[in-house]
Amino acid sequence: MTQLSDDCFAFGGALLTVDAALAQIEQRVVPVVETEMAPLEAARGRILARDVVATMNLPPHANSAVDGYAIAHADLMPDRETALPVSGRAAAGHPLGRPVERGEAIRIFTGAPMPEGTDTVMMQEDCIVEKERVRLKPGIRKGANRRHAGEDVAEGTIALAAGRRLRAPDLGLAAALGHRELPVFRALRVALLSTGDEVREPGTALPSGAIYDANRFMLAALLSGLGCEVSDFGIRPDREAALTDTLAAASAEHDLIVTSGGVSTGEEDYVKSAAERLGSLYFWRLAIKPGRPVALGQVGGIPLIGLPGNPVAVIVTFVVLARPLILRLAGAATSAPRLFRARAGFVYRKKPGRREYVRASLQRDGDTVVAVRYPRDGAGILSSIVQSDGLAILYEDMGDLAAGAMIDFLPFAEVIG
Ligand code: AMP
Ligand code: MG
């Protein structure tokens, strides 16, 4: 089971900054160490546990990048056309099978091994073909249209570094190097639940005053997108005993518990007290908007992250805190998303001292990218996330934002699938 390295700290008083929260996550969360072999078909989103060192050159043999004629560059006349006899044929999967003499041209196709004795390929579009001969224009560079053995990955070098989250191209590269399976850290087992007396299962009747559970479905998708195996603990009522029972059950056989709702300071918010009863709570008030109440704790030795109830705050706090936590726990080498610069297409009244994430879409304006703020910004407006491209980040030290200022932008494409 995964462990938090130390549970002897607790949240003091003032609001915690995002960076301080991330530093605590970095410090406290101990990654899984168990590894397994994953067939390539099942390896997407998993974290590579060991370097993949190429045991062969890629490509394995020098080959032609185009359809045309393979020749020895030295046979070409530098200042006028050269006519050479076409004396053989090499296609992909069908090497010529003999060395080439000086003065020969070989009909060659993309991917065919370069015949020994040739070094350059003239594209067929640049050749004039006569009966048994081909006429080649002057001026081609030696080595043109030839791919070297090992030019993609040289034998003995690291093709994929440990700690990578495997994406489709990684799997392609591993396959190209002959791998059928890859060593990965075992998938995190994540227990997921929603809280709230008002929260109901979609597909069932909705009593007056109730709402459907949006968060659990969002979070399940976000978690499986990060390679986690999700156990669904459903919707728990706002009763401390019910939550305590569920959290205790969830802390067995899992690496992480993710909850939403019930972490504010209201009378009906029991996630914190249940977690405190079973384990300990590290922090729960962040200097962040939206999403101030977030709990990180441990229950039975496994981390618990208690996200807010409002769906927008769920997305923001998942992206900002839960995702780095999960990636670190899962053995990923890096967890910080790349940020991009954009021009603010809006003014914003910003309180210094906290970090704000503003939902925005990107538009092109000549050579610059402009972040256009979504007009409605309530923490309950889930369609604002659906309609936005990402989050403009207004840092703690920033005050009011003037239109046209350059800002950091976190595209959802970087962090949520
Ligand atoms: P809470 O943090 O429990 O006070 O919830 C804050 C807001 O989020 C309330 O309006 C809740 O009704 C709403 N909420 C809580 N859980 C969910 C959920 N699973 N899906 C959609 N909305 C929720
Ligand atoms: Mg609630």
Side-chain angles (χ1 to χ4, degrees):
M1 234 5 67
T2 49
Q3 296 282 322
L4 287 175
S5 63
D6 184 358
D7 62 0
C8 67
F9 72 103
F11 173 69
L15 300 184
L16 200 68
T17 64
V18 171
D19 286 340
L22 287 172
Q24 293 206 5
I25 286 170
E26 183 74 17
Q27 207 183 331
R28 308 290 168 188
V29 173
V30 181
V32 295
V33 290
E34 298 97 324
T35 64
E36 62 193 28
M37 295 305 289
L40 294 187
E41 294 87 337
R44 187 172 72 96
R46 304 292 298 274
I47 310 291
L48 189 65
R50 290 193 298 275
D51 291 344
V52 172
V53 178
T55 55
M56 57 178 271
N57 275 324
L58 185 67
H61 47 77
N63 67 93
S64 178
V66 297
D67 293 341
Y69 294 85
I71 42 129
H73 189 263
D75 285 344
L76 296 181
M77 283 185 286
D79 47 2
R80 72 202 122 94
E81 209 177 77
T82 310
L84 295 176
V86 180
S87 54
R89 189 175 191 278
H94 303 280
L96 181 67
R98 64 166 175 88
V100 169
E101 307 280 316
R102 288 294 301 272
E104 286 187 73
I106 304 297
R107 180 71 171 124
I108 196 164
F109 299 92
T110 307
M114 290 294 289
E116 193 187 323
T118 68
D119 54 26
T120 303
V121 180
M122 185 75 88
M123 272 172 82
Q124 62 190 23
E125 290 83 346
D126 295 334
C127 302
I128 298 166
V129 186
E130 294 168 344
K131 285 188 200 108
E132 317 280 75
R133 294 192 326 163
V134 59
R135 280 163 46 198
L136 308 157
K137 284 187 209 153
I140 191 169
R141 174 180 60 79
K142 182 177 175 185
N145 301 318
R146 171 188 56 174
R147 302 167 176 157
H148 290 280
E151 72 173 21
D152 187 346
V153 181
E155 184 177 341
T157 60
I158 296 175
L160 297 168
R164 272 187 84 81
R165 225 177 120 224
L166 295 167
R167 303 181 306 162
D170 303 77
L171 304 179
L173 188 58
L177 290 166
H179 294 270
R180 195 65 193 75
E181 51 183 24
L182 288 172
V184 295
F185 290 112
R186 71 168 174 75
L188 295 183
R189 295 179 295 248
V190 181
L192 174 65
L193 58 131
S194 294
T195 70
D197 286 348
E198 79 284 26
V199 180
R200 291 298 144 91
E201 193 69 21
T204 65
L206 195 66
S208 132
I211 57 167
Y212 286 125
D213 187 354
N215 295 342
R216 217 166 86 250
F217 294 89
M218 262 185 345
L219 288 167
L222 290 166
L223 290 165
S224 49
L226 289 176
C228 302
E229 287 166 10
V230 180
S231 307
D232 187 355
F233 279 74
I235 304 162
R236 307 310 299 156
D238 288 317
R239 278 192 295 116
E240 189 176 327
L243 275 170
T244 311
D245 289 352
T246 306
L247 295 184
S251 69
E253 311 278 302
H254 291 96
D255 302 300
L256 172 69
I257 303 173
V258 178
T259 68
S260 72
V263 288
S264 303
T265 45
E267 286 167 19
E268 300 288 324
D269 295 322
Y270 295 115
V271 172
K272 294 195 312 284
S273 48
E276 259 167 342
R277 190 174 293 275
L278 293 168
S280 47
L281 199 68
Y282 297 154
F283 62 76
W284 55 276
R285 271 155 50 88
L286 289 175
I288 171 178
K289 186 187 172 191
R292 188 169 75 166
V294 175
L296 176 71
Q298 64 83 14
V299 172
I302 69 162
L304 170 142
I305 186 155
L307 302 176
N310 280 307
V312 171
V314 168
I315 289 284
V316 171
T317 52
F318 185 91
V319 161
V320 173
L321 294 167
R323 182 178 181 275
L325 183 154
I326 289 161
L327 289 175
R328 172 149 178 83
L329 198 57
T334 55
S335 60
R338 291 175 308 165
L339 304 178
F340 298 84
R341 296 293 277 173
R343 194 174 297 288
F346 57 93
V347 293
Y348 193 86
R349 292 198 71 83
K350 159 85 174 45
K351 215 163 105 180
R354 69 182 180 196
R355 191 176 298 188
E356 302 202 20
Y357 293 88
V358 180
R359 284 147 273 169
S361 294
L362 297 180
Q363 285 176 9
R364 283 287 297 274
D365 179 13
D367 285 342
T368 58
V369 176
V370 179
V372 179
R373 184 182 173 195
Y374 190 80
R376 288 174 300 137
D377 68 352
I381 312 264
L382 187 50
S383 48
S384 65
I385 298 280
V386 172
Q387 301 298 338
S388 296
D389 293 327
L391 301 168
I393 306 177
L394 308 181
Y395 293 100
E396 289 81 352
D397 59 352
M398 290 169 63
D400 290 348
L401 183 76
M406 295 303 287
I407 47 160
D408 274 353
F409 188 83
L410 170 59
F412 286 138
E414 273 284 304
V415 284
I416 64 181

